[in-house]
Amino acid sequence: IKLERNDLLLRQATQMARIGGWEFIPKNNRFYWSEITREMYGAPADFVPNQVNALAFYKDPTSRKTMRKAFLD
């Protein structure tokens, strides 16, 4: 129950503060975006980020290049 309560508090805090989160899992090349991250980028709720389409959200060319190298190399 303590873990469930902590999860609830974390979700409430990120909603109130508008803090997005994302995770890349190299083992299976999968991305996870939180609901807030999708909202921040204007992506639909059913958007499934991957190594290619997620990079399009990095507007700064230097940032995009850095992330491309991290994800694709």
Side-chain angles (χ1 to χ4, degrees):
I1 293 182
K2 185 175 181 179
L3 182 60
E4 291 172 0
R5 177 73 178 144
N6 286 344
D7 184 56
L8 175 63
L9 290 172
L10 178 61
R11 282 187 281 125
Q12 289 175 337
T14 58
Q15 279 282 22
M16 289 175 18
R18 306 297 297 158
I19 298 171
W22 62 271
E23 179 180 16
F24 174 63
I25 305 164
K27 179 179 169 182
N28 58 10
N29 290 324
R30 296 200 59 165
F31 279 81
Y32 164 78
W33 280 9
S34 69
E35 179 182 336
I36 299 294
T37 298
R38 283 185 173 82
E39 289 175 12
M40 290 169 56
Y41 285 130
D46 62 349
F47 176 75
V48 179
N50 61 45
Q51 288 176 303
V52 176
N53 66 17
L55 293 173
F57 291 92
Y58 290 89
K59 302 303 180 198
D60 177 64
T62 302
S63 296
R64 194 176 316 119
K65 183 178 178 181
T66 300
M67 296 307 284
R68 179 179 287 115
K69 182 169 176 48
F71 294 136
L72 299 177
D73 289 349

